[in-house]
Amino acid sequence: MKVGKSSSETQALTNYVFVCPRDFHPSVRYVIVNDQFVFSIKSEENQPTRQLGMANIHRRWAYLSLNQEVSVAPYDLSFESQYHYLGDIELEVGYLQKIQDYNEQFNTDEMSNIFCQSFSDQIFSIGQQLVFDFHGINLAVTIRQINHVIDFSELQSFDISQEQRAGTRGILTRQTSIHWTKAANSSIKLEGSLKSKTSHAIIQPNFKFENMGIGGLDSEIGAIFRRAFASRIFPPDLAEKFGIEHVRGVLLHGPPGTGKTLIARQIGKMLNAREPKIVNGPEILNKYVGQSEENIRKLFADAEKEYKEKGDDSGLHIIIFDELDAICKQRGSKNDGTGVGDSVVNQLLAKLDGVEQLNNILIIGMTNRLDMIDEALLRPGRLEVHMEIDLPDKNGRLQILKIHTSKMRQNDIMDSDVDLEELAELTKNFSGAEINGLVKSASSFAFNRHVKVEELASVTPDVKDVRVIRDDFVEALKEVHPAFGISEEELNQCVHNEIIKFSDNIGKIISDGKLLVDQVKQSSRTPLVSVLLHGPPGSGKTALAATMAMSSEFPFIKLISPENMVGYSETAKMSMIHKVFNDSYKSPLSVIVVDNIERLLNWVELGPRFSNPILQTLLVLFKKRPPKDRRLLILATTNFGQSELKDLSMSDCFNSKIYVPNVSELDSVNHVLEELKLFNDDERKQAKSELEGVELNIGIKKLLMIIEMCRQDAENSENRVKKFVDTIKDNNTSNNHRGNINGSINENQFNDLTIN
């Protein structure tokens, strides 16, 4: 049949589709169009044969055009379900013409009676739209939810399960209970007993959470919905019975790239509300006096106007602030003399929770620096819901990988050797944005195989074979590194050569370090373990600490070294140290290597002079327990002796202390020479013979330097041996003259390991 117009406005208001009497048997009351859309039909002599007389609102619901040919068949509801009739139905109502605006209130009890009289015995489907004439005013009605009853004779008995009653379509009767709800973008005002039985449709009816495109944040999104939107689903009069007001502010905070902006953007799409106003923090600021405050007031103007007119029936207005810390810093923290920052905060506070409170707004703020936000904004009644959007776990990373590779998999571009489970395991501490960057990088390697290096503009014509393979992701992992990951380059610089186990003490230190790493991983009682490696300069403390850190395979490993802070002020050093510790709390397993404590403190023996603010910062952070479900291992190194550590109150900061000794035995020197292959066996025996009786006390770092220096004299082996022996003796003489900076230490204290 062909689609045609209804012959008059009167016909359109009946909600029937009109057909020629010769097209269908008189017993046919309902038809299904294109095997999907069901309508109630009525015979009309003036209707052309093989043509459907449909109102515009019918054609819009069924996606039909005039003169379009469609398949039409009689429809029997009993084939679909044994429950034909509607027990109750939920209708969303608004003005048909948006320019209409009436101050009168519509009584829902009277609307229900007239609706049942007008459309009794007609069939209705979820999502169907129709025009309802109420006292001469055309209202647009949308079917939101329907529930069946078992039998026509039991219309007043609803003693059946919700699953049995739910369906997609059913027949309206005069006994059907109707619940009305106001359309979100309509100014219609409803009153009556049935109004409180319905819900506000603030969520888009066709919206699905799986379509948000956000991975690894299921619990966070659920918590945001519960705190900010659950109360808004129910009618205003129910919220009044609770005596509560809706949540007006949500603050999303966490590391960069974890999806804060994406969540805010998708929330705007999810809600059946006005288009959200998205504002970047710096856009508010203006060079003219008072203009910044005026920009804040403009954001709330529409919500204020509507709330004055409609009260609690006002629609929801959403304002999204990105980079909130740019305009809402702690008041009094800026000394620019203008006071603009403080005025902007004051203006925002007044609008959020001032004398004239608004109940139709929702502010969503986003920041990477929660510590910078003014505290007055964070209390209940303002930005009261604080949601940390953290780095995703393995399951979250897998979800994100599936989202970003969905097109590849749908189009069969990803090779079967790519294992997303494996990639999720390899991308520890990657944020969502970094995983996206990883997929882009892997794609670039796939493209590069089909580009000629000598002619970059020339692409091979066989582009159908472009596929992303596992090796592309392996190469991408070398290129894309997480911000909260491992300082691999800095740590490798600390270990130029592999650790040489020149004595049993070194092997025991490494073994004890592994025990401490396992303790942090497995023990539920010690989420924080701090270890101090102390000993004379050049004994290999930094190399041992870096080796322990890298062998832990923790996802977050950072180095705090005085080399990276040359020229920094005390305040800048404190800020940098504090930032590394704060970053570590975002990872489930972290290692921080604090190298050369005395240099960080600006310690000198003459004076003495040191930085007390930096010392206090280290004392606090060394003892601060990480947040729940976070574990931290601190490996610190120092040349301080026990007396200096006690004077600086640092002795009690560490759970364990490991003494790293110098090379003091001739067999140890011989072992190092054998490992580095400087001499042959005869030369090594000669060197050992000449060093007999010499009291050795040399750092491994110094010993390696001497060996490499002697290696340069490759031509004269005898001269090499003499040079090596003389340099060792001179070094010992110098050390004995200066004295042992760490005091007299018993050999039994070489590996003093105390685990609390």
Side-chain angles (χ1 to χ4, degrees):
M1 302 182 73
K2 281 191 175 182
V3 177
K5 291 183 178 180
S6 55
S7 59
S8 66
E9 182 181 351
T10 304
Q11 285 188 352
L13 293 175
T14 63
N15 195 47
Y16 282 111
V17 170
F18 289 88
V19 297
C20 177
R22 294 177 294 279
D23 287 338
F24 291 95
H25 190 274
S27 64
V28 177
R29 300 165 57 191
Y30 315 111
V31 295
I32 184 167
V33 177
N34 287 341
D35 298 323
Q36 184 176 1
F37 301 97
V38 178
F39 294 94
S40 303
I41 63 171
K42 195 169 188 179
S43 297
E44 175 63 46
E45 288 291 345
N46 296 330
Q47 186 68 28
T49 185
R50 305 187 68 81
Q51 186 183 84
L52 298 174
M54 307 182 77
N56 178 53
I57 201 164
H58 291 153
R59 300 195 302 272
R60 187 165 61 242
W61 172 56
Y63 306 103
L64 302 177
S65 303
L66 287 174
N67 299 318
Q68 178 182 345
E69 289 191 354
V70 293
S71 64
V72 184
Y75 179 76
D76 186 356
L77 186 62
S78 62
F79 292 149
E80 183 176 289
S81 169
Q82 61 174 317
Y83 311 121
H84 313 336
Y85 301 100
L86 296 176
D88 55 87
I89 184 171
E90 182 179 313
L91 306 178
E92 182 182 282
V93 64
Y95 294 119
L96 181 64
Q97 302 292 334
K98 297 197 180 214
I99 58 172
Q100 290 178 319
D101 195 2
Y102 299 91
N103 291 324
E104 64 181 272
Q105 292 187 331
F106 292 76
N107 186 283
T108 54
D109 296 321
E110 186 181 2
M111 290 171 64
S112 297
N113 291 332
I114 296 176
F115 190 89
C116 287
Q117 292 173 12
S118 302
F119 306 113
S120 179
D121 293 332
Q122 290 194 25
I123 191 166
F124 290 99
S125 305
I126 293 178
Q128 183 175 343
Q129 300 171 345
L130 67 149
V131 180
F132 174 39
D133 178 12
F134 183 70
H135 294 331
I137 300 173
N138 289 338
L139 304 178
V141 176
T142 303
I143 315 301
R144 288 301 180 202
Q145 184 177 341
I146 64 175
N147 287 309
H148 298 125
V149 292
I150 291 182
D151 187 81
F152 184 78
S153 62
E154 300 177 359
L155 283 177
Q156 302 302 324
S157 174
F158 299 136
D159 246 352
I160 54 177
S161 70
Q162 187 66 25
E163 290 183 1
Q164 286 178 306
R165 297 180 60 202
T168 57
R169 57 179 66 93
I171 299 172
L172 184 75
T173 71
R174 292 180 182 271
Q175 289 82 10
T176 300
S177 177
I178 300 179
H179 309 312
W180 297 89
T181 181
K182 182 179 74 70
N185 57 352
S186 176
S187 59
I188 192 171
K189 298 176 182 177
L190 304 178
E191 65 174 0
S193 59
L194 291 178
K195 180 185 173 186
S196 62
K197 296 180 183 178
T198 185
S199 63
H200 277 329
I202 66 166
I203 306 296
Q204 292 281 2
N206 58 348
F207 189 87
K208 296 181 180 178
F209 279 98
E210 55 265 28
N211 295 335
M212 291 185 75
I214 302 175
L217 297 174
D218 297 343
S219 60
E220 288 84 353
I221 293 173
I224 292 172
F225 180 83
R226 173 179 57 82
R227 293 291 305 278
F229 301 117
S231 64
R232 296 181 186 273
I233 290 178
F234 295 93
D237 53 349
L238 183 61
E240 290 175 7
K241 291 179 181 178
F242 277 85
I244 60 172
E245 293 180 341
H246 300 307
V247 167
R248 290 194 287 270
V250 177
L251 182 63
L252 307 178
H253 62 95
T258 50
K260 300 183 293 297
T261 305
L262 179 60
I263 287 178
R265 191 186 306 129
Q266 295 297 76
I267 284 176
K269 295 179 182 178
M270 174 185 77
L271 297 179
N272 192 15
R274 284 152 185 78
E275 188 72 20
K277 296 179 180 178
I278 302 176
V279 185
N280 290 320
E283 293 177 357
I284 294 294
L285 303 178
N286 193 288
K287 64 180 179 180
Y288 295 107
V289 176
Q291 191 60 49
S292 300
E293 296 88 331
E294 177 66 20
N295 290 339
I296 292 288
R297 291 193 291 271
K298 286 179 180 177
L299 293 174
F300 292 84
D302 294 341
E304 288 178 334
K305 180 181 177 182
E306 186 175 355
Y307 196 70
K308 287 179 181 178
E309 294 175 355
K310 304 176 183 177
D312 288 335
D313 286 331
S314 169
L316 180 62
H317 293 253
I318 302 174
I319 304 173
I320 298 174
F321 283 97
D322 202 1
E323 305 298 339
L324 186 66
D325 50 277
I327 60 171
C328 294
K329 286 186 172 67
Q330 293 276 357
R331 285 172 290 182
S333 62
K334 295 180 70 175
N335 298 319
D336 54 8
T338 63
V340 173
D342 293 356
S343 298
V344 169
V345 175
N346 292 333
Q347 183 66 78
L348 189 57
L349 290 174
K351 290 299 180 184
L352 274 174
D353 193 24
V355 177
E356 296 182 359
Q357 293 182 346
L358 300 176
N359 210 24
N360 64 336
I361 59 169
L362 178 65
I363 308 298
I364 303 177
M366 292 162 285
T367 180
N368 301 329
R369 299 292 305 276
L370 181 62
D371 57 302
M372 295 178 65
I373 305 296
D374 192 276
E375 292 179 356
L377 271 172
L378 304 180
R379 73 160 176 78
R382 293 163 182 172
L383 298 179
E384 61 182 279
V385 179
H386 306 157
M387 188 59 57
E388 182 176 8
I389 311 301
D390 214 338
L391 296 171
D393 58 11
K394 181 181 177 181
N395 290 332
R397 294 193 299 272
L398 181 59
Q399 288 182 20
I400 297 170
L401 282 165
K402 287 180 178 177
I403 289 170
H404 289 302
T405 60
S406 60
K407 291 284 186 181
M408 295 181 184
R409 289 182 282 113
Q410 288 172 10
N411 298 312
D412 197 26
I413 293 177
M414 180 179 290
D415 200 82
S416 58
D417 67 346
V418 178
D419 185 358
L420 295 185
E421 291 271 359
E422 179 190 19
L423 288 175
E425 183 66 37
L426 294 174
T427 51
K428 292 178 180 176
N429 279 23
F430 274 66
S431 66
E434 288 162 344
I435 292 176
N436 187 21
L438 180 75
V439 175
K440 290 179 182 177
S441 177
S443 301
S444 71
F445 283 106
F447 290 138
N448 193 56
R449 288 197 301 274
H450 293 261
V451 178
K452 294 180 180 178
V453 178
E454 63 275 7
E455 299 178 15
L456 291 178
S458 167
V459 181
T460 58
D462 194 14
V463 293
K464 291 183 179 179
D465 290 338
V466 176
R467 295 179 69 80
V468 181
I469 61 177
R470 181 181 181 277
D471 289 344
D472 295 329
F473 281 98
V474 172
E475 293 300 319
L477 284 168
K478 298 176 184 177
E479 188 174 73
V480 181
H481 303 286
F484 299 92
I486 302 174
S487 302
E488 194 169 351
E489 186 175 345
E490 293 179 349
L491 291 167
N492 285 331
Q493 288 179 352
C494 297
V495 191
H496 291 294
N497 306 292
E498 62 181 16
I499 298 297
I500 300 174
K501 298 179 182 179
F502 56 83
S503 70
D504 294 339
N505 289 322
I506 301 302
K508 188 173 186 301
I509 290 172
I510 294 175
S511 175
D512 291 334
K514 187 177 183 305
L515 286 176
L516 292 165
V517 169
D518 292 340
Q519 179 183 351
V520 176
K521 279 184 182 178
Q522 301 168 9
S523 174
S524 59
R525 299 177 181 273
T526 53
L528 172 67
V529 174
S530 52
V531 184
L532 178 68
L533 284 78
H534 63 105
S539 58
K541 302 179 294 295
T542 302
L544 285 168
T547 301
M548 291 179 189
M550 289 190 290
S551 64
S552 71
E553 297 183 352
F554 282 10
F556 181 94
I557 306 175
K558 293 294 181 183
L559 174 68
I560 298 176
S561 171
E563 295 178 2
N564 301 329
M565 301 186 189
V566 174
Y568 280 29
S569 64
E570 281 186 342
T571 304
K573 283 185 178 181
M574 292 162 56
S575 177
M576 187 172 180
I577 293 170
H578 190 221
K579 182 180 183 303
V580 173
F581 275 83
N582 275 343
D583 290 348
S584 73
Y585 301 147
K586 297 178 175 66
S587 173
L589 291 170
S590 304
V591 180
I592 298 178
V593 178
V594 184
D595 188 31
N596 214 338
I597 291 178
E598 61 275 8
R599 293 284 73 80
L600 289 173
L601 298 178
N602 301 327
W603 171 275
V604 289
E605 292 188 39
L606 295 177
R609 195 265 178 188
F610 69 97
S611 170
N612 188 53
I614 297 177
L615 172 63
Q616 299 304 322
T617 300
L618 291 176
L619 291 176
V620 170
L621 294 176
F622 282 165
K623 292 184 177 181
K624 181 180 178 181
R625 291 171 69 91
K628 186 180 178 182
D629 299 328
R630 301 289 188 268
R631 298 170 181 273
L632 175 62
L633 172 63
I634 301 173
L635 299 173
T637 69
T638 184
N639 298 330
F640 281 147
Q642 295 294 335
S643 60
E644 288 92 343
L645 290 171
K646 187 175 181 181
D647 292 341
L648 293 171
S649 303
M650 297 192 80
S651 293
D652 298 332
C653 287
F654 301 97
N655 307 114
S656 309
K657 296 174 187 173
I658 300 177
Y659 182 74
V660 182
N662 275 339
V663 178
S664 58
E665 297 179 356
L666 192 55
D667 288 340
S668 298
V669 176
N670 186 58
H671 181 82
V672 174
L673 289 172
E674 188 176 1
E675 285 281 335
L676 297 182
K677 299 178 181 179
L678 172 63
F679 303 137
N680 57 36
D681 292 344
D682 293 336
E683 292 170 341
R684 198 170 62 254
K685 289 178 182 178
Q686 180 185 349
K688 183 177 180 180
S689 174
E690 294 186 18
L691 288 174
E692 288 285 352
V694 177
E695 185 179 349
L696 296 174
N697 185 20
I698 183 171
I700 184 64
K701 188 175 181 180
K702 184 73 172 179
L703 179 59
L704 294 175
M705 186 68 69
I706 293 172
I707 290 174
E708 291 304 314
M709 179 189 68
C710 295
R711 193 188 298 277
Q712 306 310 310
D713 194 357
E715 296 180 357
N716 192 336
S717 60
E718 185 175 341
N719 187 51
R720 263 197 329 234
V721 174
K722 185 176 185 303
K723 183 68 175 175
F724 175 77
V725 172
D726 291 345
T727 307
I728 293 291
K729 289 180 178 179
D730 290 344
N731 181 78
N732 276 350
T733 302
S734 177
N735 283 344
N736 291 334
H737 178 71
R738 289 196 307 268
N740 192 332
I741 65 169
N742 290 308
S744 176
I745 299 176
N746 191 311
E747 187 177 12
N748 294 329
Q749 294 176 306
F750 272 5
N751 203 14
D752 174 23
L753 175 64
T754 307
I755 302 179
N756 296 332

